[in-house]
Amino acid sequence: MLEHNWTGSFTKPAPSLYPHQWNWDAGFIAIGYARYAPQRALADLAHLFRGQWAHGMLPQIVFGDDPEARYFPGPDFWQTWRSPLAPRQPLTSGITMPPVHGIALWFLLQSAPDEQTGLEWIRPLFDKVVAAHRYLYQYRDPQEEGLVYIRHPWESGTDNSPVWDEPLRRIEVDRDRLPPYARQDLQNPEAARHRPTDDDYDRYVWLVDLFRRHDYDDKAIEAECPFLVQDPLFNAILAWANECLVAIGGMLGEDMRDLLEWNELTIFSINRQLWDPTQGRYAAHDLVADRLLPTHSSSALMPLIAGAPDMDQARQLLEWLDSAAFSGTPDEPAWLCPTFDMQHPDFDPERYWRGPVWVNMNWLLYHGLQRYGLGRHARRLKYDTIELLERFGFCEYFDPRKNAPVQKGYGTDHFSWSAALCIDLLAM
Ligand code: 9WN
């Protein structure tokens, strides 16, 4: 799969649906390559970081130059040349994504024949990854509380999660004033049932239009953006990646005090600000309404990866994972782990991030469970993931219902991170 999606300069997430390079995909893909082709991982990440903006933001998409590539929104829509901070070449989108790259560097280091070699491999990338974290703390943490916000559902990576419905509803779309656009992602007959809706896309486009009208100035966007959310998944990934960078920085003899301080604050605030004691799980915090969002996805479990919950919190998270929400019922058994609560009215087993199982989320949760010594759960997650891939192929996402009438994978096939993380799970 990975060879198939390698363009000669970067790895696409999938052959045609995603013809450019994506931010967190590249991190997960590097973790797979680390197991058998570390030089390829380094080349892939080096290509991604060519798209880094002058103030450190690592963009969600780095565009390739294949004239046949069809993807919306492409560079002409983003118009990032409006910002003095964006690179002129390669062209990129104007938002970011969960910062998994510090974690990828750690896995690369672990796969090296010896520490010295590993450090030589990752040295050229290290400062760039730290700069991406610095951007997040400097530009996305207005209250200096160690929690960074996302300003577009695409920044979460879990684009149409039901959690985002409430803040998105704040956006009143006037179709006559929305820039004209044409989706490119509905080319197969099932896509309309599986991918985000047109209403979702209108709001995604509305937000991009806001950003480009402000020439991608972070402060100006923040003052006006109706969607500013502190996501437990994004912040948990940030914290795990901080931890990895601090460990690597120590080996490189770097001064890691900033990152250490930021990380302490992040862990503290994940628990103070994002823990919902009434539910016994983490929630996203809506900065505009200043309240915890009432709907919870599997992202609410993810602070486990950063070691944020204490043992009592971890126990409550585990109870939720074991409940019908994620583990199904005797009549409706589930593959671990649905991305959304199966008992909730907004659960949709076929639609993208509103229920289906995604391999990257399983991989993350596997590590979170291992961290807490929950080996039995971690193993179940690992073997469910491998069995899904074995039965249904290297698809993008999977129906979580074991008794689903249509037993196949959804979205694109030949999906890079499904393959890459499978390699890592098998090698573990
Ligand atoms: C928008 C590439 C990306 C993943 C995201 C997934 C999907 C894009 C899209 O594909 O998002 O970024 O066009 O739907 O939601 O997590 O990184 O694989």
Side-chain angles (χ1 to χ4, degrees):
M1 304 292 146
L2 296 175
E3 289 311 310
H4 190 84
N5 291 338
W6 170 248
T7 62
S9 40
F10 65 89
T11 309
K12 299 183 278 188
S16 60
L17 186 61
Y18 305 120
H20 304 287
Q21 190 177 32
W22 258 258
N23 175 318
W24 75 336
D25 296 66
F28 292 125
I29 291 166
I31 289 166
Y33 278 144
R35 293 288 187 176
Y36 76 100
Q39 293 305 327
R40 175 66 68 76
L42 295 168
D44 215 27
L45 289 174
H47 185 275
L48 181 76
F49 277 88
R50 284 182 53 218
Q52 188 165 33
W53 289 30
H55 60 344
M57 186 182 80
L58 189 64
Q60 164 229 17
I61 304 175
V62 174
F63 292 106
D65 46 20
D66 175 2
E68 304 289 306
R70 294 178 64 197
Y71 181 77
F72 173 81
D76 291 347
F77 198 86
W78 285 100
Q79 302 170 8
T80 51
W81 44 81
R82 290 164 177 252
S83 167
L85 301 168
R88 294 293 162 258
Q89 199 51 247
L91 291 169
T92 74
S93 70
I95 54 174
T96 189
M97 266 194 147
V100 294
H101 313 91
I103 303 167
L105 293 192
W106 180 253
F107 276 78
L108 272 157
L109 185 60
Q110 302 307 309
S111 73
D114 57 75
E115 187 179 301
Q116 198 49 37
T117 311
L119 290 175
E120 274 163 30
W121 287 352
I122 62 179
R123 184 80 194 85
L125 287 161
F126 177 78
D127 290 343
K128 299 177 190 198
V129 180
V130 172
H133 285 226
R134 191 173 295 282
Y135 160 78
L136 293 171
Y137 284 107
Q138 284 183 343
Y139 291 86
R140 298 298 191 94
D141 178 17
Q143 289 159 15
E144 296 186 15
E145 58 191 342
L147 292 179
V148 308
Y149 68 72
I150 52 168
R151 62 184 184 211
H152 194 295
W154 284 334
E155 291 201 317
S156 70
T158 59
D159 311 348
N160 68 339
S161 164
V163 183
W164 314 139
D165 291 355
E166 181 178 312
L168 281 180
R169 266 198 295 272
R170 214 170 273 144
I171 299 175
E172 301 252 345
V173 176
D174 175 353
R175 280 242 165 87
D176 295 332
R177 296 182 63 182
L178 204 61
Y181 73 96
R183 292 180 67 168
Q184 300 286 338
D185 58 322
L186 299 179
Q187 279 147 21
N188 79 58
E190 286 169 336
R193 208 169 73 243
H194 294 162
R195 292 203 37 102
T197 62
D198 287 343
D199 277 349
D200 292 326
Y201 261 79
D202 280 353
R203 283 168 177 75
Y204 301 161
V205 164
W206 190 97
L207 285 167
V208 174
D209 184 48
L210 172 78
F211 304 160
R212 63 183 199 187
R213 277 192 283 109
H214 285 296
D215 299 338
Y216 295 97
D217 180 287
D218 292 273
K219 289 291 160 213
I221 293 170
E222 186 181 296
E224 252 189 57
C225 190
F227 185 96
L228 298 176
V229 180
Q230 293 164 323
D231 173 23
L233 171 66
F234 196 109
N235 282 283
I237 288 177
L238 176 66
W240 187 14
N242 281 335
E243 203 182 336
C244 294
L245 290 175
V246 166
I248 297 168
M251 294 180 207
L252 289 170
E254 298 279 336
D255 178 354
M256 300 308 288
R257 270 174 298 182
D258 281 358
L259 224 64
L260 264 171
E261 270 174 35
W262 285 330
N263 201 39
E264 221 171 277
L265 196 55
T266 300
I267 299 284
F268 174 78
S269 294
I270 285 179
N271 284 322
R272 198 211 46 196
Q273 178 97 303
L274 304 186
W275 178 254
D276 182 344
T278 64
Q279 301 290 325
R281 63 188 82 131
Y282 293 93
H285 181 242
D286 181 342
L287 269 181
V288 176
D290 190 17
R291 72 181 204 113
L292 288 182
L293 289 168
T295 317
H296 304 155
S297 67
S298 66
S299 298
L301 301 165
M302 292 302 175
L304 287 166
I305 64 174
D310 63 24
M311 286 320 272
D312 186 52
Q313 289 169 308
R315 183 190 51 74
Q316 295 182 61
L317 295 175
L318 198 65
E319 265 170 32
W320 194 40
L321 179 64
D322 281 339
S323 76
F326 294 118
S327 296
T329 60
D331 292 339
E332 183 93 278
W335 300 102
L336 278 182
C337 177
T339 43
F340 194 65
D341 181 344
M342 295 178 81
Q343 306 304 312
H344 193 285
D346 292 340
F347 169 73
D348 182 338
E350 297 184 13
R351 200 179 286 279
Y352 224 40
W353 293 97
R354 301 179 81 86
V357 177
W358 288 72
V359 172
N360 65 332
M361 298 293 267
N362 277 9
W363 184 89
L364 287 167
L365 191 53
Y366 171 86
H367 283 282
L369 294 167
Q370 288 286 29
R371 185 166 187 152
Y372 282 79
L374 301 167
R376 193 169 54 82
H377 284 81
R379 266 192 305 282
R380 203 181 125 211
L381 197 65
K382 170 172 169 171
Y383 288 112
D384 272 14
T385 311
I386 291 168
E387 198 173 334
L388 278 169
L389 294 167
E390 206 167 43
R391 285 194 189 198
F392 309 128
F394 288 85
C395 293
E396 198 181 356
Y397 42 103
F398 302 88
D399 200 309
R401 300 164 303 167
K402 287 194 170 166
N403 302 336
V406 189
Q407 287 280 352
K408 58 179 191 164
Y410 298 144
T412 176
D413 59 6
H414 281 75
F415 192 58
S416 291
W417 84 40
S418 295
L421 297 176
C422 177
I423 293 171
D424 189 60
L425 283 173
L426 287 172
M428 214 125 44

